[in-house]
Amino acid sequence: MRPYTIMMAVSSANGIVARTDNDKVEWTTSDDRKLFKEVTLDAGVLIMGRKTYETIGKPLPGRLNVVMTRSPQEYRSSEQLVFTSESPGDILHSLKRKGYSKAVIAGGPSVFSEFLNAQLVDEVMLTVMPLIFKSGYSIICGLEYDISLTLIESARIGDQAELLRFLVDRT
Ligand SMILES: NC(=O)c1ccc[n+]([C@@H]2O[C@H](COP(=O)([O-])OP(=O)(O)OC[C@H]3O[C@@H](n4cnc5c(N)ncnc54)[C@H](OP(=O)(O)O)[C@@H]3O)[C@@H](O)[C@H]2O)c1
């Protein structure tokens, strides 16, 4: 069995997760950041695209940071930081071999879409912020099929934001 995967995102009320290519997502709240830290520390590993990694600027401590790039040779991997050109399925198999039972898919939209298209997402954790952005990048780009979800939790995070947790229905 591959690791259980949680796709974790924060969006505006109109589904935007980044206003620009290098948006640092400073429009989220400290409570949401805390949740992200808790969930990723619990999994022990997060998987992200190279652009998202560059907006963070450094590996997040205490977790394995897997960064997808088509040019892994241009970066230096270390114990906590792995640059890889493996497919989503192969990344999860490598994590399984290393003993991980859960993994957080941390974005951005291109990575979310690739894992969804490969049917490798089990759960979606989405924080919705009380914001409407005039422009930006939608949470998903280039999805190849419709996906149905089952809502398993809805909870307030801090004063204003709402956390929605869904399971991805298997057809
Ligand atoms: N609000 C949120 O929840 C949230 C979460 C995450 C990110 N974001 C934001 O989203 C923006 C970035 O998203 P993005 O979709 O443009 O970029 P991204 O997914 O972070 O990174 C895209 C890059 O990942 C690499 N990549 C993707 N698929 C790959 C594959 N199959 N094999 C090998 N490498 C692959 C490529 O890197 P190379 O070009 O190096 O080959 C590609 O250019 C940032 O502004 C970030 O802050 C928001």
Side-chain angles (χ1 to χ4, degrees), residues 1-6 39-40 42-48 62-68 78-84 86-106 111 115 120 122:
M1 270 283 280
R2 63 165 174 79
Y4 182 82
T5 52
I6 304 169
V39 175
T40 53
D42 175 62
V45 55
L46 68 155
I47 303 165
M48 67 193 122
R63 292 144 275 191
L64 177 63
N65 293 242
V66 177
V67 180
M68 295 177 73
S78 63
E79 202 183 326
Q80 289 285 295
L81 177 62
V82 174
F83 292 91
T84 180
E86 284 184 323
S87 68
D90 287 345
I91 290 173
L92 293 177
H93 282 118
S94 301
L95 292 175
K96 164 80 183 154
R97 281 197 301 275
K98 290 177 183 166
Y100 291 95
S101 58
K102 269 189 213 170
V104 173
I105 316 301
V111 166
F115 276 82
L120 291 172
D122 297 307

Side-chain angles (χ1 to χ4, degrees), residues 26 77 84 116 132 161:
E26 280 157 346
S77 295
T84 180
L116 285 167
I132 295 178

Side-chain angles (χ1 to χ4, degrees), residues 9-10 17-18 20-23 25 27 49-52 55 68-70 85 106-111 114:
V10 53
V17 295
T20 59
D21 238 9
N22 56 0
D23 189 344
V25 195
W27 40 270
R50 190 259 311 159
K51 292 182 187 172
T52 295
T55 65
M68 295 177 73
T69 173
R70 294 187 173 83
S85 56
S110 64
V111 166
E114 289 188 43

Side-chain angles (χ1 to χ4, degrees), residues 138-159:
S138 161
I139 185 166
I140 302 296
C141 59
L143 198 60
E144 291 163 5
Y145 62 103
D146 294 333
I147 295 172
S148 134
L149 305 172
T150 299
L151 180 68
I152 54 169
E153 187 184 350
S154 166
R156 188 62 64 87
I157 305 190
D159 284 347

